[in-house]
Amino acid sequence: MARGRSAGPLFKETALERTPARRSMPVALRALARAALTVCAVDKGSALAANFEKSWAGTPDVAEIRTTKNNTLPFLGSSTGTLTVDEGTPADRVTQLAGELREYVVRRSKVTGRITANDITFTVAADEGQTGEVLALWRSLTADDKVERADIHDAPWKEAAVRWRIEATAVDAAGVLTAFKDMLTEDGRHRHLTGVTSLKVTGPGLFVETDFHDAFPAEAIAAYEAVLAQHSITRATLRRDAVSNSAVTIIVADSADVAHARELARSAAPNLGAAVEVRGSTGS
């Protein structure tokens, strides 16, 4: 939209040229300017969200439609629309909805489409192959009794144009580690997504995530498993750390030999050094 100019009138006016028609032109121009400003003032994110809700309202097997609005500047903005399907909707129908939603977002670059089915929420990528991979992961996660819920979201960052952020909740600590390995290793039961993956899995007593470079935190997990093999662990956190690339905090039962547990953990993760912390429940 062209902005109003500040440099002089649009035409040179003399006393002889002041006809009624010419006197009405500035008024008309002002009216057009006001109309243009009204159009520019429309929040694009809100408009995209409203269009999403209108487009998908009444869709069979869709129980709820949720949208978010990001209004940055007039005529600039984005929106995310999420379709929550009815409980018990067949997997083939979810796949069909994902295909239709993919076609929708392909035509609207500022709209992100998502689907929630069986407590698993996933983003529908504009790329058909990527959407197929995500659907395969969704299917396997819904069949995994160790996983309670999950969120699969595309999250490009810096040089990683294809990057996925996955967050999942498991039923117990053993399920956390199993699900984490299954989603990151090539021979795991879950579909390994193409591109970089940032993964977080949490559950009672354990939280684990990829290292600072979005890679498998091998040493952090090795430290945890070394302690778990010989001592009772109350809770543990295997998280990313900007300096060491990974950090480990393990809380063992007060009855455990804390010094021995600490030695086990640091021997299993020699490159992490002081980033490995082992202590008893009371802080010893």
Side-chain angles (χ1 to χ4, degrees):
M1 184 195 73
R3 298 184 179 180
R5 298 179 181 175
S6 59
L10 296 176
F11 56 88
K12 188 175 181 180
E13 188 179 57
T14 67
L16 294 176
E17 292 172 329
R18 291 176 182 170
T19 64
R22 288 189 180 275
R23 281 198 301 270
S24 66
M25 287 183 66
V27 176
L29 288 173
R30 286 196 296 272
L32 288 172
R34 283 196 297 271
L37 286 173
T38 301
V39 173
C40 287
V42 173
D43 294 324
K44 184 171 183 180
S46 298
L48 291 172
N51 287 337
F52 187 93
E53 293 172 2
K54 182 179 179 180
S55 297
W56 293 93
T59 302
D61 302 310
V62 173
E64 182 184 8
I65 301 172
R66 292 178 287 112
T67 58
T68 64
K69 311 155 192 175
N70 181 22
N71 297 308
T72 50
L73 291 171
F75 259 170
L76 294 176
S78 60
S79 176
T80 296
T82 303
L83 306 177
T84 300
V85 303
D86 291 318
E87 186 176 351
T89 299
D92 288 346
R93 174 57 177 155
V94 175
T95 300
Q96 181 184 22
L97 283 170
E100 294 171 359
L101 186 55
R102 189 192 70 81
E103 293 177 357
Y104 182 91
V105 300
V106 164
R107 298 191 299 269
R108 298 163 180 83
S109 61
K110 297 300 181 181
V111 175
T112 299
R114 314 196 76 211
I115 292 178
T116 298
N118 296 329
D119 295 320
I120 310 293
T121 301
F122 60 91
T123 296
V124 174
D127 181 85
E128 187 174 5
Q130 291 176 15
T131 293
E133 289 185 3
V134 172
L135 278 168
L137 177 57
W138 168 78
R139 284 175 180 263
S140 64
L141 286 174
T142 58
D144 190 343
D145 57 6
K146 297 182 180 63
V147 177
E148 290 185 331
R149 56 187 175 274
D151 188 295
I152 309 166
H153 204 308
D154 63 325
W157 185 71
K158 293 186 177 180
E159 70 277 1
V162 180
R163 180 177 183 270
W164 295 97
R165 184 182 71 242
I166 305 174
E167 298 183 18
T169 301
V171 295
D172 52 29
V176 169
L177 209 52
T178 299
F180 188 89
K181 291 178 178 179
D182 280 343
M183 276 188 273
L184 272 194
T185 56
E186 292 289 349
D187 57 349
R189 65 175 293 183
H190 298 303
R191 176 63 180 261
H192 186 74
L193 298 179
T194 301
V196 179
T197 299
S198 168
L199 175 63
K200 298 179 182 180
V201 184
T202 188
L206 181 61
F207 171 83
V208 57
E209 67 176 326
T210 47
D211 68 20
F212 191 66
H213 300 290
D214 285 337
F216 187 82
E219 282 201 273
I221 290 176
Y224 172 80
E225 292 181 325
V227 176
L228 183 63
Q230 298 192 40
H231 298 282
S232 175
I233 296 178
T234 303
R235 63 184 184 277
T237 300
L238 318 181
R239 55 180 170 77
R240 68 177 63 205
D241 180 84
V243 178
S244 65
N245 294 339
S246 186
V248 182
T249 300
I250 300 173
I251 311 299
V252 296
D254 286 335
S255 58
D257 184 336
V258 177
H260 182 247
R262 186 178 297 120
E263 181 182 352
L264 288 172
R266 293 186 175 175
S267 295
N271 294 319
L272 298 184
V276 177
E277 179 184 3
V278 180
R279 63 177 187 269
S281 300
T282 58
S284 59

